[in-house]
Amino acid sequence: MNTEPNYTLPPAVRRIANAFGLIGWLSFWSQVVLATIASLVLLFGIANLSSGSGGVSNPGTGPGLSLTALGLIAVYLSTYWAFSYTRLARRLRSRDGARRPSPKEAMQALRLGIIISMVGMLVTLFGSNALVGSLLAKALIQPQGAAVFVPGGAMGQYVRPFDIFVVQGNTIILLAHFIFLAATLWLLRTLNRA
């Protein structure tokens, strides 16, 4: 351990540590905000979908919501992983060379971040396709150009505004995965340039 008061990190290590710190915090807070918004939008949309379905279910909605929920879980995992980038930055700034992670450890952290984001995006895209397909099926059976009054309360077969909430939540999840993937790829580029 070097305890000299004028000890400084090598420029490459300082640059990498600063990048991990800055991008880690930016990614973490954007993930927190987007995950919270997506959770609230999905909860609101699902609560209103289930309360007004009138016993009519659309076959694409169940798998679409399940896959979207898995994508949201992946966003929470990527949020934790973005926070781990900030911890990695702190370790990189350490004066103790033994405590400082190796480039291989940093690369493994980035690879795992890319995998989390790609799997989350894939699952969310499958959910998005199922949800949009179910909305298309509802729109195709809906009479065009006239207001429909259904005395039996089977409004679940028609496209309602709350159906769009679920699609909006899905889109927010995709945005969160994209932001984390872009941040991780930028960190990978920074690490490779050092």
Side-chain angles (χ1 to χ4, degrees):
M1 182 165 144
N2 193 341
T3 57
E4 299 174 17
N6 61 358
Y7 173 76
T8 59
L9 289 172
V13 174
R14 188 177 332 116
R15 187 174 58 246
I16 291 169
N18 290 340
F20 267 87
L22 176 66
I23 298 302
W25 281 119
L26 289 174
S27 180
F28 172 76
W29 284 111
S30 66
Q31 298 285 66
V32 166
V33 169
L34 291 173
T36 303
I37 292 171
S39 298
L40 293 174
V41 166
L42 283 175
L43 286 174
F44 185 67
I46 290 170
N48 285 297
L49 281 176
S50 61
S51 67
S53 66
V56 178
S57 66
N58 196 329
T61 304
L65 289 175
S66 299
L67 291 169
T68 300
L70 288 174
L72 185 58
I73 291 168
V75 169
Y76 284 117
L77 185 59
S78 67
T79 302
Y80 169 76
W81 208 249
F83 182 73
S84 76
Y85 289 164
T86 65
R87 301 301 96 195
L88 187 69
R90 180 179 285 177
R91 288 179 36 213
L92 281 168
R93 289 184 187 107
S94 172
R95 293 175 183 252
D96 184 7
R99 187 171 178 256
R100 196 175 305 143
S102 68
K104 184 178 179 179
E105 287 179 71
M107 189 71 74
Q108 286 174 341
L110 294 175
R111 283 186 189 132
L112 189 55
I114 290 170
I115 290 169
I116 291 168
S117 188
M118 293 296 289
V119 169
M121 282 181 88
L122 180 66
V123 169
T124 307
L125 283 170
F126 282 141
S128 177
N129 284 320
L131 290 170
V132 170
S134 73
L135 285 178
L136 177 63
K138 284 182 177 185
L140 289 175
I141 64 167
Q142 192 168 313
Q144 300 298 314
V148 179
F149 176 71
V150 182
M155 287 302 293
Q157 66 185 0
Y158 299 109
V159 176
R160 298 174 303 149
F162 293 113
D163 293 327
I164 307 303
F165 269 112
V166 176
V167 174
Q168 180 66 33
N170 189 289
T171 306
I172 293 169
I173 293 169
L174 282 173
L175 177 62
H177 284 301
F178 175 78
I179 288 172
F180 183 67
L181 180 63
T184 303
L185 288 174
W186 192 83
L187 286 173
L188 183 65
R189 177 180 170 266
T190 302
L191 188 65
N192 285 333
R193 288 177 61 185

